Amino acid sequence: MGLKLQPSQQQQQHHSVAVKVNEQTGTKRGYTFIQANRAWLPKFLLLWVMVMAFLSTWIYKKMDADIKVRRKEVLSSMCDERARMLQDQFSVSVNHVHALAILISTFHYYKNPSAIDQETFAEYTARTAFERPLLSGVAYAERVVHSEREEFERQHGWTIKTMQREPSPVRDEYAPVILSQETVSYIESLDMMSGEEDRENILRARATGKAVLTNPFRLLGSHHLGVVLTFPVYKAKLPTRPTVEERIEATAGYLGGAFDVESLVENLLGQLAGNQAILVNVYDITNTSDHLIMYGHQNQNGDLALLYESKLDFGDPFRKHTMICRYHQKAPTSWTALTTAFLFFVICLLVGYILYGAAIHIVKVEDDFHEMQELKVRAEAADVAKSQFLATVSHEIRTPMNGILGMLALLLDTDLSSTQRDYAQTAKVCGKALITLINEVLDRAKIEAGKLEMETVPFDLRSILDDVLSLFSEKSRNKGVELAVFVSDKVPEMVMGDPGRFRQIITNLVGNSVKFTERGHIFVKVHLAENTKPVVDAKAETCLNGGSDEGVPISGAHQFKTLSGYEAADERNSWDSFKHLVSYEESQYGASVNMTVPGETSQSVTLMVSVEDTGIGIPLIAQDRVFMPFMQADSSTSRHYGGTGIGLSITKCLVELMGGHISFVSRPQVGSTFTFTADFGRCKKASFNDTKKSNTEDLPSSFRGLKAIVVDRKPVRAAVTRYHLKRLGILAEVAGSVKIAVSACGKNGSSCGSKIQPDIILVEKDLWLSGEDGGLSLRMLDWKPNGHVFKLPKMFLLATNITNAELEKAKAASFVDTVIMKPMRASMVAACLQQVLGIGNKRQAGKDAQNGSLRSLLCGKKILVVDDNMVNRRVAAGALKKFGAAVECAESGKVALKLLQIPHSFDACFMDIQMPEMDGFEATRQIRMMESQAHEQMNGGGIDKGLAGKGEWHVPILAMTADVIHATYDECLKCGMDGYVSKPFEEENLYQAVAKFFQV
Amino acid sequence: MLGLAADRLRADMNRLLAFLFHQGILDEQFLQLQQLQDESSPNFVSEVVNIYFHESEKLLRSLRSLLMDREFSDYNRMGIHLNQFMGSSSSIGANRIRNVCVAFRAASEQNNRAGCLRALEVLEHEYCFLKNKLHELFQIQQQRVLAAGVRYPMQN
């Protein structure tokens, strides 16, 4: 049923995730203007096009109107010009005729006899004809009254004729032509009064005394339209203001000329530019209702829409003339306006379309963007869900796995045949591996979910490294691989950081190295990151010096100056640079006795840790994905060596969480060197002493001041040995061979003012086996009985692995006092030394007795179990009782506080974390507070001897919880707990937790 | 005769236990619990289980009353109760009840009333079932004890 429930629950979760996604996108989607009006876009485009069409039409119209106005102006100016010219020419001619009239009156009438006859007149007029280009000819007609007709006719010798060339009928007056230009000689003797127009003209002329014009009519000689100009000639001088009668009375005759208007205008226009373009008509508009045409065709088809009228004044006030101009052709369609408007329209259309396209594109891109965003949110949600799922599933797997492991442990306790036991053990190992894997996956999921927090507690880096090494010592010893650790002196003894995670990193790296290394060494080195600088300098220096000249060829093969003599991938760890580091440190150390090292004052310290191995290395192609989860060099790796490849990715994450970075150098078949940096806080001295005891195992101080000689040909290894000895306070010197060491001793022995008098000599196994032992042991034997006052140095053999035969041999040769097995750990070295030197240390002695059962640990101890759950309480009590402990129960944190009031008699407290009112963390904090108060009081007063004898109050508190994800170990430690037990109790787990505190 | 009965009872008991394990109703914690029972505390298991029943019934009652309060269901309190229930169930190894509690707690964390009601029903059903089965088991055990005279340590 529980199984059935879970899918539905998960579905709900899924559903809630989806809802969240929707909400997020709903709030995130900020609509832009374009996005909001996306439906309107085509309409906008249409509107734009229409507006632009309208605009371009308007432009066209405006331009067209401009052109028309200009055309009109051109027409009017042309017309005016023509009219003026015509008028000018006309008046010039009229003036000349006027001059002729005066000529006649002067020479014909005032002179007696007349100075002009027909011949003279003809001659004169012919010669002055150029002055009157508009007049076809001039003639003079004398005024003859009827009474004088007979005499006149007789005098001239011809009769007066009418226009029709018939003898004139009787009239009151006659105006026969007496003088005429040759061109119009045909009108001589004709009576001008007989013609209708001429008669009218004559009458008007003599009445006004000015030039007068006739209506236009067809001229006699030519068939052109023309007008006749008539000028009166007076006999006597007129008074200044003559009346009409006086004028008529004084009239002597009439001078007349015919204007051939048609040819006149034709000539005139011919002289002007733009003649073809316009059409000119001249009208006589004396009679306003009926315009008489003087020039031009009545029905000409020009541009009727546009015409211009100019007034003409030919000097006759009675007659009015006008000139009308129009264009020949209709106004041409204005292509410029049309093309301009059209181009404008097209451009606007294109612009509109481009804008539309852009808007559409924006809409599309925004849509895509939102879609992507949604997908991103979904992907992130999926990722979170994945992590959650991983965490949940891993957690769910843990529980049955614990069951399996527990049952297997139980099974192994029963009576089994060897095959069965083997099977069960295999199953257990596999289960353990699975649990480790699940833990890793959990870690990974936690890191991904950002749930992993680094704690900052003071811890001893060196002891952690020792622990890790001891974890792998068995494996490496079996393989014959040397395992060593070196921590630079400059690294502070205690640093602030996350010991658990640091341990995890080191364990991962060393574990990897152990897995992949079959020969050679694995070397962990820790130093300050700032120290790398001189190392690099040193490297450069050695390069300049022409490399190493101390290469020691052993049995033909070149020995590298690394820990084990095998080549390492990263030569930074070889002696050439290492010795510089060491010597640099020493000089620094010496120099900084009196002054603080510059780095010491700063709050944090950056450590550089490198793990070097001489394993199979990482193939070049796989090197760039080493830190990717679930990636191994190739699939065969997992078959050969096992593992999932998740470890390094976790390591990387952890290193990055510690503020550092990890890198590696690897050469296939040579080895790999992983190097990482990490930031740690410096530990204040005050807090240092407090926490030191609870967190680290103390190294015995009883070896302080001892002197030792390390006999080792490999300088790196010697440095490591020295480092461990130094930690114990032992001064060590390095000698290249036993002879040197012995001679040094001997010398020292004889001369008492010695520099060094060794208490211990440590000899590397290789060296001992390399054949020097024969002579050496002799010398040693020689030397031993020779001993003076000083103590004989104790001999130690250092070995990674040693066969029984070799051991026997060594013992038989009485060469060594004991063998120290590698990897070296300060505590182990201390134990060995202690054993041999006999320097007592109670705490150390108990170390090896750890293997006692849980029962032995718990027997007789008084333990407080705090849990609100009665069932749990009962079960826990039962379990602890089974191991012989006296159990007392408390059902809440408060009760526990009461029970733990100092003084109390409890040896340990198991505390449930999840409790109502006061949870386990809070209760622990309060207990710790109480303890520190008591401690202060004690220090201050120091009254109660019994209490003081008991040492400081620190009751071990172990957390009990079923929940692994939330209540992590870190949290427990943070609030002052000492450990962590999963609930329900598991024997091994319980043992591990309890063993820390109850050492016999 | 007596021996036969003892054997039968023992077989019955093993069958019942096997069934309970196979169905995932109990897990190995129950076995550990049984291991804790020895001469010094001959009725350890039944004692613990009785406490468990007692506590559980109280918890179930209060859970139901909390859920029945239509307007305002105190999901926090419910979570606390469920944690208790889960803790005690895992202590005696009542695996299925624990699983249901997990689901129940998830539902209550999401304030999912319908889910809670459903889970509560399942929980009550599971609880009754377990109770019956354990009573049956204890009965057999009792008979065994009677049949075998004084032979407390039942296994090992």
Side-chain angles (χ1 to χ4, degrees):
Chain A
M1 213 51 202
L3 281 175
K4 258 188 199 170
L5 258 175
Q6 250 154 358
S8 75
Q9 178 203 336
Q10 224 155 39
Q11 227 167 22
Q12 272 164 4
Q13 218 168 17
H14 206 81
H15 186 69
S16 74
V17 166
V19 168
K20 216 159 64 180
V21 166
N22 284 346
E23 275 170 8
Q24 263 182 334
T25 50
T27 49
K28 264 189 187 174
R29 179 171 287 195
Y31 281 111
T32 58
F33 174 75
I34 292 174
Q35 190 71 299
N37 297 307
R38 53 192 308 171
W40 283 89
L41 285 180
K43 285 172 193 166
F44 277 139
L45 180 66
L46 199 67
L47 188 69
W48 171 265
V49 169
M50 275 160 68
V51 166
M52 286 309 128
F54 178 76
L55 207 63
S56 52
T57 321
W58 181 76
I59 286 172
Y60 170 71
K61 281 201 173 141
K62 180 130 178 16
M63 286 182 78
D64 201 35
D66 279 351
I67 287 170
K68 275 195 178 136
V69 165
R70 211 171 314 132
R71 193 170 142 90
K72 203 170 170 182
E73 275 167 9
V74 167
L75 183 66
S76 65
S77 70
M78 277 165 81
C79 202
D80 280 341
E81 192 189 3
R82 276 156 181 74
R84 208 176 53 248
M85 277 184 67
L86 189 59
Q87 206 172 301
D88 287 351
Q89 297 255 343
F90 205 89
S91 57
V92 165
S93 299
V94 168
N95 285 346
H96 209 265
V97 172
H98 196 177
L100 264 181
I102 288 162
L103 180 89
I104 287 170
S105 73
T106 311
F107 292 99
H108 193 57
Y109 293 104
Y110 300 161
K111 296 267 182 190
N112 211 5
S114 163
I116 301 175
D117 56 355
Q118 167 63 30
E119 230 170 301
T120 329
F121 187 78
E123 171 93 34
Y124 179 73
T125 50
R127 287 173 71 173
T128 58
F130 71 92
E131 295 270 23
R132 308 176 299 275
L134 304 179
L135 289 169
S136 48
V138 289
Y140 178 67
E142 200 173 40
R143 183 189 180 199
V144 178
V145 287
H146 188 65
S147 56
E148 292 167 359
R149 183 178 170 175
E150 307 247 326
E151 194 195 334
F152 179 81
E153 280 180 344
R154 191 177 39 81
Q155 198 180 339
H156 283 278
W158 39 263
T159 56
I160 298 166
K161 293 174 190 121
T162 62
M163 288 294 203
Q164 283 75 34
R165 299 195 183 265
E166 283 159 11
S168 172
V170 178
R171 296 195 182 199
D172 291 345
E173 257 182 82
Y174 307 96
V177 173
I178 54 167
L179 301 170
S180 63
Q181 204 180 335
E182 241 163 334
T183 48
V184 289
S185 56
Y186 54 88
I187 62 163
E188 205 176 283
S189 79
L190 293 185
D191 180 11
M192 283 298 118
M193 298 279 259
S194 62
E196 189 62 31
E197 280 93 3
D198 289 323
R199 183 188 161 78
E200 213 176 289
N201 239 19
I202 287 164
L203 290 179
R204 235 168 11 100
R206 72 183 182 195
T208 58
K210 284 179 181 167
V212 293
L213 292 169
T214 61
N215 281 336
F217 62 97
R218 298 263 159 218
L219 292 176
L220 271 181
S222 64
H223 285 287
H224 290 167
L225 275 173
V227 289
V228 171
L229 172 78
T230 310
F231 227 92
V233 177
Y234 299 102
K235 267 186 246 169
K237 283 185 179 129
L238 283 168
T240 43
R241 279 182 195 276
T243 59
V244 176
E245 282 77 29
E246 279 171 341
R247 281 179 202 275
I248 295 170
E249 205 57 36
T251 304
Y254 323 99
L255 192 66
F259 277 102
D260 184 348
V261 180
E262 215 166 334
S263 54
L264 166 71
V265 177
E266 205 86 50
N267 281 342
L268 193 70
L269 296 182
Q271 293 167 15
L272 289 168
N275 194 24
Q276 292 82 0
I278 62 169
L279 195 67
V280 178
N281 280 352
V282 182
Y283 292 94
D284 182 334
I285 53 161
T286 316
N287 185 350
T288 46
S289 61
D290 179 24
H291 294 178
L292 297 168
I293 191 155
M294 277 170 76
Y295 171 76
H297 306 284
Q298 191 69 46
N299 303 316
Q300 250 175 339
N301 39 358
D303 182 7
L304 292 173
L306 188 66
L307 53 85
Y308 185 77
E309 229 170 282
S310 312
K311 294 274 177 230
L312 284 174
D313 182 12
F314 289 144
D316 182 357
F318 181 72
R319 297 220 169 258
K320 291 191 178 77
H321 296 92
T322 180
M323 179 184 268
I324 291 176
C325 303
R326 54 165 72 93
Y327 281 102
H328 254 302
Q329 265 128 26
K330 288 196 173 176
T333 32
S334 52
W335 287 107
T336 24
L338 206 61
T339 41
T340 309
F342 182 70
L343 284 179
F344 176 76
F345 179 66
V346 166
I347 288 168
C348 287
L349 197 70
L350 288 177
V351 167
Y353 185 73
I354 287 166
L355 287 179
Y356 176 72
I360 291 280
H361 190 68
I362 288 170
V363 166
K364 194 172 168 298
V365 166
E366 275 182 4
D367 277 354
D368 287 354
F369 169 69
H370 285 132
E371 199 181 333
M372 291 303 155
Q373 217 169 25
E374 202 173 306
L375 287 177
K376 182 177 159 258
V377 169
R378 243 190 260 167
E380 278 167 358
D383 193 44
V384 169
K386 186 208 79 181
S387 295
Q388 274 177 356
F389 173 76
L390 257 182
T392 322
V393 164
S394 312
H395 190 220
E396 289 301 313
I397 294 172
R398 272 171 74 100
T399 324
M401 269 318 289
N402 280 329
I404 291 171
L405 286 177
M407 295 314 286
L408 281 170
L410 288 179
L411 185 65
L412 282 168
D413 282 349
T414 56
D415 214 2
L416 292 176
S417 74
S418 61
T419 333
Q420 284 169 334
R421 181 169 296 276
D422 182 37
Y423 292 166
Q425 258 161 358
T426 315
K428 195 177 176 186
V429 168
C430 292
K432 283 242 166 92
L434 185 54
I435 283 279
T436 320
L437 172 62
I438 289 164
N439 285 341
E440 281 179 344
V441 170
L442 255 176
D443 268 352
R444 173 92 210 161
K446 267 199 276 183
I447 291 167
E448 269 179 15
K451 273 188 184 172
L452 197 79
E453 278 175 10
M454 287 287 155
E455 63 176 344
T456 44
V457 293
F459 69 97
D460 184 358
L461 200 91
R462 291 172 174 82
S463 73
I464 282 189
L465 287 172
D466 279 356
D467 284 357
V468 173
L469 249 61
S470 65
L471 205 67
F472 291 104
S473 58
E474 186 66 33
K475 249 187 216 170
S476 65
R477 206 174 291 154
N478 288 343
K479 281 185 170 184
V481 175
E482 263 192 81
L483 200 55
V485 62
F486 176 85
V487 182
S488 140
D489 286 333
K490 285 195 72 190
V491 176
E493 199 173 332
M494 299 290 278
V495 290
M496 299 284 282
D498 192 329
R501 297 302 169 186
F502 182 72
R503 180 198 296 262
Q504 197 176 353
I505 293 172
I506 299 289
T507 311
N508 263 333
L509 292 177
V510 175
N512 255 356
S513 293
V514 169
K515 212 191 291 177
F516 294 113
T517 308
E518 298 297 336
R519 56 174 176 70
H521 66 269
I522 294 155
F523 183 28
V524 183
K525 195 176 70 170
V526 184
H527 52 82
L528 292 185
E530 299 94 73
N531 278 11
T532 37
K533 226 183 189 174
V535 172
V536 173
D537 292 345
K539 239 168 97 179
E541 197 184 303
T542 47
C543 283
L544 280 174
N545 290 345
S548 55
D549 49 348
E550 297 173 67
V552 188
I554 291 180
S555 64
H558 185 262
Q559 279 272 16
F560 289 91
K561 294 193 165 186
T562 57
L563 185 76
S564 64
Y566 283 94
E567 187 183 3
D570 190 355
E571 62 281 357
R572 255 186 296 177
N573 279 354
S574 75
W575 176 244
D576 287 336
S577 54
F578 195 68
K579 71 177 172 199
H580 281 93
L581 181 61
V582 173
S583 61
Y584 169 79
E585 249 167 40
E586 266 169 10
S587 62
Q588 277 287 97
Y589 208 70
S592 66
V593 170
N594 286 331
M595 58 176 187
T596 50
V597 180
E600 201 101 5
T601 47
S602 69
Q603 278 302 304
S604 72
V605 54
T606 306
L607 298 186
M608 179 176 259
V609 183
S610 62
V611 179
E612 176 191 84
D613 68 53
T614 56
I616 57 167
I618 301 163
L620 291 172
I621 43 160
Q623 288 196 355
D624 49 352
R625 33 164 217 215
V626 158
F627 293 118
M628 264 150 66
F630 302 109
M631 281 286 186
Q632 280 191 334
D634 60 88
S635 51
S636 66
T637 315
S638 51
R639 253 176 281 135
H640 279 289
Y641 301 99
T644 51
I646 199 173
L648 277 177
S649 83
I650 291 172
T651 306
K652 186 172 156 60
C653 290
L654 290 176
V655 166
E656 274 159 12
L657 279 172
M658 285 186 177
H661 51 88
I662 185 164
S663 63
F664 67 94
V665 177
S666 180
R667 274 153 63 197
Q669 305 311 326
V670 171
S672 322
T673 304
F674 281 82
T675 309
F676 72 89
T677 59
D679 287 335
F680 292 100
R682 270 180 201 283
C683 205
K684 288 189 195 90
K685 296 277 176 193
S687 61
F688 190 99
N689 292 331
D690 256 8
T691 48
K692 197 176 171 182
K693 273 167 193 160
S694 61
N695 269 320
T696 64
E697 26 148 12
D698 272 329
L699 289 173
S701 54
S702 43
F703 304 110
R704 232 163 265 284
L706 293 187
K707 297 181 186 77
I709 290 182
V710 177
V711 183
D712 195 344
R713 197 175 287 157
K714 289 180 185 138
V716 177
R717 194 162 57 185
V720 171
T721 313
R722 253 182 78 187
Y723 150 72
H724 285 291
L725 292 174
K726 207 168 184 178
R727 283 178 66 195
L728 294 171
I730 299 170
L731 284 172
E733 290 282 311
V734 178
S737 70
V738 182
K739 272 178 206 156
I740 298 169
V742 168
S743 63
C745 287
K747 234 186 271 168
N748 290 336
S750 52
S751 62
C752 277
S754 61
K755 286 185 291 176
I756 176 165
Q757 180 190 7
D759 303 298
I760 312 155
I761 297 176
L762 295 114
V763 183
E764 192 63 33
K765 192 189 91 181
D766 301 350
L767 213 67
W768 174 63
L769 286 177
S770 62
E772 283 188 50
D773 59 322
L776 177 83
S777 47
L778 273 175
R779 284 198 63 174
M780 289 297 283
L781 286 173
D782 282 350
W783 188 44
K784 265 188 178 172
N786 222 6
H788 299 287
V789 201
F790 61 88
K791 239 193 312 181
L792 279 178
K794 298 282 182 186
M795 298 294 284
F796 288 85
L797 194 60
L798 294 170
T800 306
N801 52 354
I802 191 159
T803 56
N804 280 336
E806 280 169 341
L807 191 63
E808 286 307 312
K809 192 180 161 197
K811 286 213 170 133
S814 70
F815 170 60
V816 285
D817 297 291
T818 193
V819 177
I820 297 179
M821 293 297 284
K822 288 191 184 175
M824 293 224 286
R825 275 178 296 144
S827 55
M828 191 197 57
V829 174
C832 289
L833 291 177
Q834 197 177 305
Q835 191 191 335
V836 172
L837 297 173
I839 299 169
N841 187 302
K842 285 140 233 152
R843 292 195 67 165
Q844 207 62 27
K847 268 237 132 187
D848 295 326
Q850 255 184 16
N851 297 336
S853 73
L854 193 54
R855 193 177 181 88
S856 68
L857 278 180
L858 287 175
C859 195
K861 294 283 191 279
K862 195 174 174 197
I863 292 172
L864 179 66
V865 173
V866 187
D867 197 329
D868 63 313
N869 193 321
M870 203 198 277
V871 180
N872 287 354
R873 216 153 58 215
R874 193 72 190 79
V875 173
L880 290 170
K881 265 181 195 159
K882 195 191 168 206
F883 298 119
V887 182
E888 200 156 319
C889 294
E891 69 266 19
S892 76
K894 282 187 180 163
V895 178
L897 269 177
K898 253 179 232 159
L899 285 171
L900 285 172
Q901 287 293 336
I902 290 166
H904 59 73
S905 55
F906 291 103
D907 295 300
C909 172
F910 285 78
M911 179 85 73
D912 186 27
I913 286 174
Q914 282 178 327
M915 281 190 294
E917 286 180 62
M918 187 188 285
D919 67 4
F921 295 131
E922 182 56 35
T924 309
R925 268 192 283 274
Q926 295 210 11
I927 290 166
R928 289 289 177 248
M929 217 174 352
M930 228 156 63
E931 281 171 353
S932 64
Q933 276 168 8
H935 195 214
E936 271 169 34
Q937 271 180 4
M938 209 164 68
N939 279 356
I943 318 150
D944 198 331
K945 280 245 166 182
L947 273 182
K950 240 190 157 184
E952 65 192 73
W953 289 102
H954 183 95
V955 61
I957 300 179
L958 294 162
M960 287 193 297
T961 180
D963 215 339
V964 189
I965 274 222
H966 295 298
T968 48
Y969 185 68
D970 330 347
E971 273 177 76
C972 295
L973 287 185
K974 235 177 249 172
C975 65
M977 289 187 178
D978 302 275
Y980 170 89
V981 187
S982 74
K983 195 168 66 172
F985 289 155
E986 208 179 302
E987 207 168 318
E988 269 185 58
N989 187 343
L990 187 62
Y991 174 77
Q992 277 172 8
V994 165
K996 277 193 204 164
F997 311 103
F998 303 134
Q999 283 159 4
V1000 188
Chain B
M1 179 66 197
L2 272 176
L4 264 178
D7 279 352
R8 194 173 51 83
L9 284 171
R10 192 194 173 100
D12 275 355
M13 209 174 99
N14 281 345
R15 210 170 23 245
L16 185 56
L17 270 177
F19 167 78
L20 289 174
F21 278 99
H22 188 251
Q23 295 289 304
I25 294 164
L26 290 180
D27 63 13
E28 82 280 358
Q29 184 58 32
F30 188 74
L31 289 181
Q32 298 214 349
L33 205 65
Q34 284 189 323
Q35 281 185 355
L36 293 180
Q37 179 166 300
D38 53 18
E39 286 87 348
S40 61
S41 52
N43 284 320
F44 182 73
V45 176
S46 64
E47 191 185 319
V48 169
V49 169
N50 278 329
I51 298 172
Y52 172 72
F53 285 152
H54 187 67
E55 292 283 311
S56 302
E57 263 150 41
K58 267 202 290 189
L59 285 171
L60 278 172
R61 262 202 306 282
S62 57
L63 276 174
R64 180 154 281 276
S65 71
L66 275 174
L67 261 177
M68 282 303 115
D69 189 356
R70 232 164 229 298
E71 277 75 45
F72 178 72
S73 296
D74 190 345
Y75 289 107
N76 271 338
R77 289 256 318 265
M78 224 182 294
I80 293 169
H81 285 324
L82 283 168
N83 270 338
Q84 285 240 2
F85 208 166
M86 256 166 71
S88 51
S89 301
S90 56
S91 274
I92 70 148
N95 187 34
R96 247 169 54 184
I97 288 187
R98 203 190 71 86
N99 285 341
V100 177
C101 283
V102 171
F104 197 164
R105 192 175 58 174
S108 78
E109 271 164 8
Q110 290 178 348
N111 291 6
N112 178 357
R113 196 185 147 76
C116 285
L117 277 171
R118 212 158 49 227
L120 182 64
E121 257 153 44
V122 177
L123 192 60
E124 279 171 343
H125 173 256
E126 284 292 332
Y127 173 72
C128 287
F129 188 72
L130 178 77
K131 195 176 174 182
N132 287 337
K133 286 295 166 195
L134 285 181
H135 272 306
E136 200 178 319
L137 189 74
F138 289 139
Q139 244 164 14
I140 298 173
Q141 208 169 350
Q142 211 91 65
Q143 284 175 13
R144 251 188 81 196
V145 170
L146 286 177
V150 207
R151 213 171 64 184
Y152 281 126
M154 41 167 288
Q155 263 180 332
N156 283 340

